[in-house]
Amino acid sequence: MNPNIDPSWISSCLLFVIGALLVANALLVLLLIEGKKARSRIEATLEASVARQKALLREHRDEAEVIEQQHLEKLAATERNHHYEMDNLRGILSIADQDRDEALSAVSKAQARSKYMQSRIDQLNVLMESWAAGTDETVAAVRHALRVERTTAVN
């Protein structure tokens, strides 16, 4: 060894290095412990965040189902109203069809009656003309025909 170096100095240096190494080791152990704590806190925070997200997702899903159910109920009510209105319109159209049929029947009867009346008027005109131009036998035949017509019209 070198005679100029004091052995207490070497001992002091070695003690200093050992102390520094012990402090460094202690710091590394503390850093490791803090890292594990931080990792566990991050994992706990992450798990809480995932749980919160799942809860929010369930809540949103439940709200969406409620909204969808309300929408379906409104749709069903609208459909019922539509069917009710369609049934009412069908009823109105049915009544209108019946009224139309009755009016057409009345017009047909009126036309038939008008034709019948016109034919009777024509027949009476023929009888009147033959009465005016005819003999006593013609007059008797016309009177008889008029009586028959009168009794037919009354019945």
Side-chain angles (χ1 to χ4, degrees):
M1 286 208 165
N2 192 347
N4 293 339
I5 298 178
D6 186 17
S8 64
W9 186 80
I10 292 177
S11 293
S12 294
C13 282
L14 282 176
L15 283 176
F16 176 76
V17 169
I18 289 173
L21 286 175
L22 281 176
V23 168
N25 269 343
L27 284 175
L28 285 175
V29 167
L30 285 176
L31 282 174
L32 261 171
I33 291 171
E34 286 299 317
K36 285 185 180 182
K37 285 181 183 177
R39 176 181 274 169
S40 65
R41 277 188 297 229
I42 289 173
E43 287 175 359
T45 304
L46 184 60
E47 287 175 9
S49 177
V50 167
R52 189 171 48 241
Q53 287 298 326
K54 286 181 180 178
L56 285 173
L57 183 63
R58 272 189 303 253
E59 184 179 324
H60 288 154
R61 194 176 303 137
D62 293 343
E63 287 175 4
E65 287 176 3
V66 167
I67 290 171
E68 183 178 0
Q69 185 63 33
Q70 290 172 348
H71 177 70
L72 290 175
E73 289 170 0
K74 286 181 183 178
L75 217 62
T78 302
E79 184 180 11
R80 281 191 304 271
N81 288 340
H82 175 72
H83 285 297
Y84 177 73
E85 289 175 5
M86 290 301 290
D87 289 341
N88 286 342
L89 287 175
R90 284 187 189 103
I92 290 169
L93 286 174
S94 172
I95 291 169
D97 286 346
Q98 289 173 357
D99 290 347
R100 182 201 64 218
D101 292 343
E102 288 174 6
L104 288 174
S105 176
V107 165
S108 175
K109 287 178 183 177
Q111 286 175 344
R113 184 151 174 87
S114 175
K115 285 180 184 177
Y116 174 73
M117 294 301 285
Q118 185 63 44
S119 71
R120 288 194 63 201
I121 289 171
D122 291 342
Q123 186 181 16
L124 287 174
N125 281 336
V126 167
L127 287 174
M128 295 288 281
E129 287 173 9
S130 66
W131 186 5
T135 60
D136 288 336
E137 294 170 1
T138 307
V139 171
V142 169
R143 279 187 186 159
H144 178 68
L146 286 174
R147 281 188 199 117
V148 170
E149 285 291 326
R150 199 177 302 143
T151 58
T152 306
V154 170
N155 293 334

